[in-house]
Amino acid sequence: MFKFLKTLAALAAMLIPLALAGQAAATPTRFTVEVRGKGPDVVLIPGLASSRAVWDDTAKRLEGRYRLHIIQVNGFAGQTPGPNASGPVVAPLIEEIDAYIRDQKLDHPAVIGHSMGGYSALALAAAHPGDVGKVMVVDALPFFSVLFGPGVTVAQVEPQATAFKAQMLAMSKAQFDAGQPQVMARLAKTPAAQALAAQWAIASDRQVMAQATYDIMTSDLRPQLAAITVPVTVVYARDPVMGEGRVDALYKENYAALPGVKLQAIDGGFHFIMLDQPDAFAAAVEAFLK
């Protein structure tokens, strides 16, 4: 019997490492990650139809002191769509980012997200507060569609979101490409930033872009804000052409239910704040990470 038990112990010693190897971290399928630098972990999530290159200036400033996990959403900016080519994009993306944080054993990383990435970071904090240290939302609202009217609901905006998705998919490539410089002129202030953002959008997969837009238009995080326990900083663009008081009021009202939220306006830029005002944005990031 003793020999038998010794044999079982030896067998277990052989099999347990094999079993653990079978539980190795899964490779993300909805995004890729570029890891740079050393130090506390920071996850950076770009926005709709954007490249991870939107974080280039931020990464250069931080990589000497932080380990950066710079996400590229599949299907955006020339990347192969993978599973994002069918069905919802944003909700599965958020879950896979959380799986990445857990699989890589990141210790309560700071998460910074722009636009759709900002919404994703906020949703991550709401759904998985134990996996996130703190969140910076960059120029994003908990419900995008309030821009259509302060009292709008998901049910009311769903037909519009469906129609917008269909319209985007029905455009010819020539029509879509020609319209992007005009779109980006409203989202970035400097000509260089406009050209870069337009280039990323033109290179994006149209199906992924249209579905992600639909997802964001029909997703309302406001009912979950009061339960979020993770510290959240919201940085938003403010410029005279937007109506500065109106922008301040919009963010104050829509984040009112979030306990302890820090709201910070950055003047002189549009939606792509990090491209329009890199120094001011970098200062905001440094203050957030302290």
Side-chain angles (χ1 to χ4, degrees), residues 36-214:
R36 294 168 56 176
K38 294 181 179 180
D41 291 301
V42 180
V43 178
L44 296 162
I45 313 173
L48 180 72
S50 288
S51 165
R52 64 161 57 95
V54 76
W55 300 117
D56 278 356
D57 182 75
T58 303
K60 288 176 184 177
R61 297 174 190 249
L62 296 179
E63 64 184 335
R65 294 165 291 135
Y66 296 92
R67 184 167 64 151
L68 309 176
H69 304 260
I70 312 172
I71 285 175
Q72 173 64 65
V73 178
N74 290 340
F76 291 165
Q79 299 302 303
T80 303
N84 289 339
S86 61
V89 172
V90 177
L93 171 68
I94 293 163
E95 290 306 309
E96 197 166 273
I97 291 173
D98 181 66
Y100 173 82
I101 290 171
R102 288 185 282 105
D103 288 344
Q104 297 298 316
K105 297 180 172 57
L106 306 189
D107 184 13
H108 297 87
V111 182
I112 304 175
H114 173 239
S115 189
M116 185 191 91
Y119 172 91
S120 299
L122 190 64
L124 182 64
H128 304 284
D131 297 335
V132 178
K134 52 187 172 181
V135 164
M136 173 183 273
V137 177
V138 182
D139 216 59
L141 293 164
F143 183 33
F144 169 83
S145 292
V146 297
L147 297 176
F148 299 123
V152 71
T153 66
V154 170
Q156 290 170 338
V157 83
E158 201 280 334
Q160 292 174 268
T162 298
F164 187 78
K165 175 183 174 182
Q167 182 182 24
M168 187 183 295
L169 292 173
M171 287 182 184
S172 68
K173 177 170 173 53
Q175 289 174 323
F176 179 81
D177 292 359
Q180 291 314 297
Q182 300 171 25
V183 171
M184 297 310 166
R186 297 192 295 269
L187 299 180
K189 196 167 187 179
T190 63
Q194 293 170 10
L196 195 58
Q199 175 187 323
W200 295 335
I202 289 169
S204 294
D205 181 271
R206 192 89 59 79
Q207 174 62 40
V208 179
M209 191 173 173
Q211 181 62 50
T213 302
Y214 173 90

